[in-house]
Amino acid sequence: MSKQYLTSHTIDGAHITDIFSLAVTSTQIISASGSSSLKVHSTTDQDFPLHQTLEKAHRLGCHHIAASKNGSKLASAGFDGKVKIWAVKDDQWIEEGEIVDGNKAGEIWATALSEDGQYFASTTYDGRVNVWDNLAGRRKIREFETKGSYGMSIDLSLDGKFTASGHKNGGIYIFNNDTGRLLHSLPGQVKPIRSVAFSPGGKLLAAAGDAKVIALYDVASGEQVANLMGHGAWIFSLDWSNTGEYLLSGAFDGKAKVWSIDQRTCVATHTETDKTIWSVKWLPKIGKNEGFAIAGANRSISFYREATGG
C-alpha cells in the first residue's frame, strides 16, 4: 500500500547557504545552515511564517541542531566548535548557556537532546560519545569510548535511557546511560553511518549512511531485524513518525522516502530537487493527516502533507 504526500508549501531561500539541520517542536520548525543565524518558523499556520531569527548564533554557521520533544530546550553546534543551549521564555528562544569542554572545531559534531531537554549528547571527531546534564549546570555526566572513529551521528532514546552513535568506520554503538556501560556494538555496516534514530517506543534503532541501506536493529537484543533497500545514494537523515509506524529518510540525490515499518517497504518517494537533502523531519500532526519537512543544498524548506483520504 502506497501513500501520497503533496507539497503544501515551500520557503524558498530560507537561508543563504545549505540548510544542514532541522529541529521540530509541537509548534515550530527550526533550521540551521552555513550562515550565522538560526531561523524559527511556526508550524501552526499553513504558510509557516517566520517567528524568530536567532541572529549571529554561530559566526561560522551551524552544522547540527536538536530540540527536546517537549519544546523546552534547543541545542545548536557551530563550525567554530561552540555548542549553545537555548530555552523558551515568553514564546522566544533565548541563549541559556554553552557546553564548555575545551571545545575546538570538530570536538563536538552530532547532537541530541532527551525528551525533556535535561540531557544533551554529542559525538566527537575521535569517536568519544559524551552526555551532559542541563539541569546540573551543563555538567558532563558520561563519556563513552568507542574505537576512535569519527562520530558522525547520535540519538537519545525518548526516555533518556540509551544513547546510540554511528561512526565513519561503520561502527554503531548503543550505550546504557543509567549504568554507563556499552550495551551493544551492532554488526552489519562497514561504511560511514550518517544517521541513527531510536523509534518512539525505544524498541528499534534505525541506522543509515553511505551503504544506501537503512538497517533496523532490535535495541534489547542488538540483532539486526531488517534492511530497508531502495535509496540509490548516501542517506543523510532519518526520522520516525510519532507513532513509530513510518520512517522518513533523505539522501544525497535529493530523494526523500517514507517507509512502512510493518511492511518493511517504501510507501512514498519524493524528489523535490536533485540537490542533497541534509535533513528530514516529521511535522506535528494536523487532524488525521501527517506531514514532513525536508531541507538541504537548495537552501529551501519544503513541506509535505498526506493527501486527504490517503
Side-chain angles (χ1 to χ4, degrees):
M1 179 188 125
S2 64
K3 291 170 76 71
Q4 187 177 9
Y5 295 86
L6 305 175
T7 306
S8 61
H9 189 72
T10 297
I11 303 172
D12 291 314
H15 289 259
I16 60 172
T17 63
D18 286 28
I19 299 170
F20 293 120
S21 190
L22 298 172
V24 170
T25 71
S26 60
T27 59
Q28 296 176 337
I29 185 166
I30 304 100
S31 53
S33 71
S35 60
S36 61
S37 299
L38 305 179
K39 300 282 186 73
V40 183
H41 286 85
S42 171
T43 56
T44 59
D45 186 305
Q46 62 183 4
D47 292 328
F48 301 94
L50 183 65
H51 176 76
Q52 185 183 1
T53 300
L54 302 176
E55 300 280 2
K56 299 178 181 177
H58 294 277
R59 64 185 177 86
L60 299 181
C62 175
H63 50 80
H64 283 87
I65 51 173
S68 61
K69 194 81 171 175
N70 69 359
S72 66
K73 290 281 193 296
L74 179 72
S76 59
F79 286 102
D80 57 359
K82 288 187 176 181
V83 177
K84 295 184 177 182
I85 303 295
W86 309 78
V88 172
K89 184 177 182 181
D90 298 328
D91 201 33
Q92 296 285 301
W93 291 100
I94 58 168
E95 185 179 336
E96 190 176 67
E98 292 187 13
I99 298 290
V100 179
D101 190 33
N103 298 337
K104 303 179 291 293
E107 180 73 18
I108 290 181
W109 186 246
T111 61
L113 279 169
S114 62
E115 182 176 26
D116 60 1
Q118 179 174 357
Y119 300 107
F120 167 75
S122 70
T123 62
T124 69
Y125 67 92
D126 59 0
R128 285 173 290 122
V129 177
N130 298 314
V131 182
W132 284 266
D133 187 339
N134 284 320
L135 296 186
R138 295 176 293 281
R139 179 174 58 87
K140 187 192 290 186
I141 58 171
R142 295 288 184 211
E143 182 168 321
F144 301 114
E145 295 285 346
T146 66
K147 293 183 178 178
S149 176
Y150 201 115
M152 304 185 77
S153 52
I154 195 166
D155 197 25
L156 278 166
S157 61
L158 279 185
D159 59 9
K161 188 173 182 181
F162 300 112
T163 300
S165 61
H167 297 259
K168 189 176 181 180
N169 65 358
I172 307 168
Y173 303 94
I174 299 177
F175 300 95
N176 186 315
N177 294 331
D178 290 340
T179 65
R181 295 180 179 277
L182 175 68
L183 184 66
H184 299 297
S185 176
L186 301 176
Q189 304 289 322
V190 293
K191 294 185 177 180
I193 303 296
R194 298 182 183 271
S195 186
V196 291
F198 284 105
S199 64
K203 292 183 178 180
L204 294 174
L205 179 76
D210 292 11
K212 309 172 190 175
V213 174
I214 302 170
L216 294 181
Y217 297 92
D218 181 277
V219 172
S221 67
E223 291 183 11
Q224 187 171 345
V225 295
N227 275 330
L228 305 180
M229 304 177 71
H231 271 293
W234 296 353
I235 300 166
F236 280 102
S237 184
L238 299 170
D239 194 42
W240 291 85
S241 65
N242 283 334
T243 61
E245 294 176 87
Y246 297 101
L247 185 67
L248 178 64
S249 59
F252 182 74
D253 59 359
K255 285 185 170 61
K257 290 180 178 287
V258 179
W259 306 83
S260 165
I261 298 305
D262 283 345
Q263 299 173 37
R264 302 283 202 260
T265 188
C266 177
V267 294
T269 299
H270 287 274
T271 307
E272 179 70 21
T273 171
D274 59 359
K275 294 184 177 180
T276 301
I277 295 174
W278 292 113
S279 189
V280 296
K281 285 290 180 185
W282 288 100
L283 297 170
K285 229 176 183 179
I286 297 178
K288 292 183 178 180
N289 292 347
E290 289 188 316
F292 59 85
I294 66 173
N298 71 344
R299 306 174 182 182
S300 300
I301 306 173
S302 295
F303 298 90
Y304 293 83
R305 279 284 172 202
E306 188 176 0
T308 303

